Amino acid sequence: MRTEKYLCSMAIANGGLFFYNWYDISRVYVKQAADCMGVCPDRFTDILALVSPRTRVVRSMRVGIHYCMLGRWLPAVLHSTKQAVRHYEDTGEIRGPKTSVFAAALKGDPEAVVLDTWMAKAFEIPQREFDKKKVRQECARRLGKVAKSFAISPAQAQAAVWAGIVSKSGRRVKYLDVGQELQLWDIE
């Protein structure tokens, strides 16, 4: 598992630190989109978090908008995603350590540390290790130290490291700019 020093250097070297405010900016976009669609911002945030596993940012937005607007699924949505949303609709509960924390981070929880596929790459551990509570706690502890190094919150430190590993992999970091996707629906 990678050290705090390595995680800090990755965030700096790969430009991830420029995206420390990813959750803050994305939260604004999500709220604006929810208002335009006439749906509760917290519900829309939860749906976006629930449809995010193993899905690119743009696809998550499309799936979330389509579901919230029409109550139907786009083709090729994972069965496990449909089950997770069905459970949420029935109980109001988001199961799963990644999706529940992602929703919390998007809602502004500064302590929420999302551990996804990209973060597994950053820590250089198999993603399945995040199933272990002790591993999640240790990763959160290390990201807390990264946060102190940069004088930002743990959620912001995680966003910076996440953006750094995404950039290092040759991909472009994108915010949850749901408004761009809403233009396809001709909603403004």
Side-chain angles (χ1 to χ4, degrees), residues 4 12 15 47 51 54 61 64 66 84 97 103 119 132 137-138 174 183:
E4 304 87 44
I12 293 168
I47 296 296
V51 301
R54 296 184 300 269
M61 290 186 294
H66 193 269
M119 292 305 292
K132 300 173 184 170
Q137 289 173 333
E138 179 59 22
K174 296 179 182 177
Q183 289 176 358

Side-chain angles (χ1 to χ4, degrees), residues 8-167:
C8 285
S9 68
M10 182 192 311
I12 293 168
N14 297 298
L17 203 51
F18 291 111
F19 294 93
Y20 79 94
N21 58 355
W22 190 92
Y23 292 110
D24 302 319
I25 290 171
S26 293
R27 180 173 43 263
V28 171
Y29 287 141
V30 170
K31 183 177 181 336
Q32 288 172 343
D35 291 345
C36 286
M37 292 187 300
V39 299
C40 170
D42 282 348
R43 179 177 181 270
F44 186 49
T45 300
D46 290 344
I47 296 296
L48 288 173
L50 286 162
V51 301
S52 69
R54 296 184 300 269
T55 307
R56 290 183 181 211
V57 171
V58 172
R59 171 79 174 160
S60 293
M61 290 186 294
R62 288 179 184 156
V63 169
I65 290 167
H66 193 269
Y67 180 80
C68 285
M69 294 295 293
L70 301 177
R72 295 190 310 263
W73 294 108
L74 285 172
V77 173
L78 297 171
H79 178 69
S80 59
T81 297
K82 293 176 185 178
Q83 285 183 313
V85 171
R86 190 173 308 119
H87 176 79
Y88 169 79
E89 297 285 25
D90 290 345
T91 66
E93 173 192 32
I94 298 178
R95 298 181 290 196
K98 187 263 181 185
T99 50
S100 60
V101 175
F102 185 44
L106 281 171
K107 291 177 185 177
D109 181 349
E111 301 298 317
V113 171
V114 179
L115 299 172
D116 63 1
T117 303
W118 290 106
M119 292 305 292
K121 289 178 184 186
F123 279 104
E124 294 185 2
I125 61 174
Q127 184 179 1
R128 68 181 175 279
E129 288 295 304
F130 291 149
D131 293 341
K132 300 173 184 170
K133 187 176 181 177
K134 284 187 178 188
V135 172
R136 289 193 310 272
Q137 289 173 333
E138 179 59 22
C139 290
R141 186 188 70 75
R142 290 180 189 206
L143 286 165
K145 287 188 173 189
V146 171
K148 285 183 182 175
S149 296
F150 294 129
I152 57 179
S153 74
Q156 291 172 327
Q158 180 268 312
V161 171
W162 172 84
I165 192 68
V166 169
S167 294

